[in-house]
Amino acid sequence: TKMPTRGSNKAARLLSLVAQLEAGPRTAADLARQLGVSQRTLQRDLEELPEIGHAIERDGRRYRLRAGNTTLDPVEALAVHSATRLLVHHTRINFLPSFTRFMVQTVLDSACPPKPL
């Protein structure tokens, strides 16, 4: 059988984390225990959730998903995670801000095309 890759393990863990947070607010210790990871790994995963479309809020010691989140299916989550990893590891760090501005402007231009004169 084929061994799961580190990226597929992380993608599965992120999906599981989202499912845990969808069930209601949870503490970091509870989430780490349920996912079988250290609290530091959990912290990194929580920081990555907004990058894949899941905004989180912290209320005291508990984390929860922000209302109105867009849920990605497993294939979309893995695609976003993989694309983010490729950008981080295969580009110069100073390239990312300009790329982000380019993508935002592209989306805005397609959503709000200029009116003809």
Side-chain angles (χ1 to χ4, degrees), residues 14-15 17-19 21-22 48-56 64-78 80:
L14 290 173
L15 290 171
L17 176 57
V18 168
L21 292 170
E22 284 176 338
E48 192 163 340
L49 285 182
E51 295 174 24
I52 62 170
H54 297 282
I56 59 169
R64 64 186 170 110
L65 289 177
R66 184 176 296 156
N69 267 316
T70 302
T71 302
L72 301 176
D73 68 30
V75 173
E76 292 170 327
L78 182 58
V80 171

Side-chain angles (χ1 to χ4, degrees), residues 48-97:
E48 192 163 340
L49 285 182
E51 295 174 24
I52 62 170
H54 297 282
I56 59 169
E57 294 177 337
R58 186 173 178 179
D59 183 18
R61 295 178 55 200
R62 296 181 177 268
Y63 292 90
R64 64 186 170 110
L65 289 177
R66 184 176 296 156
N69 267 316
T70 302
T71 302
L72 301 176
D73 68 30
V75 173
E76 292 170 327
L78 182 58
V80 171
H81 171 71
S82 298
T84 302
R85 298 288 292 185
L86 283 170
L87 278 173
V88 169
H89 292 290
H90 296 286
T91 61
R92 294 186 311 260
I93 194 70
N94 61 358
F95 173 77
L96 291 176

Side-chain angles (χ1 to χ4, degrees), residues 9-28:
N9 286 338
K10 183 167 186 174
R13 190 174 67 241
L14 290 173
L15 290 171
S16 182
L17 176 57
V18 168
Q20 293 292 325
L21 292 170
E22 284 176 338
R26 302 285 163 88
T27 64

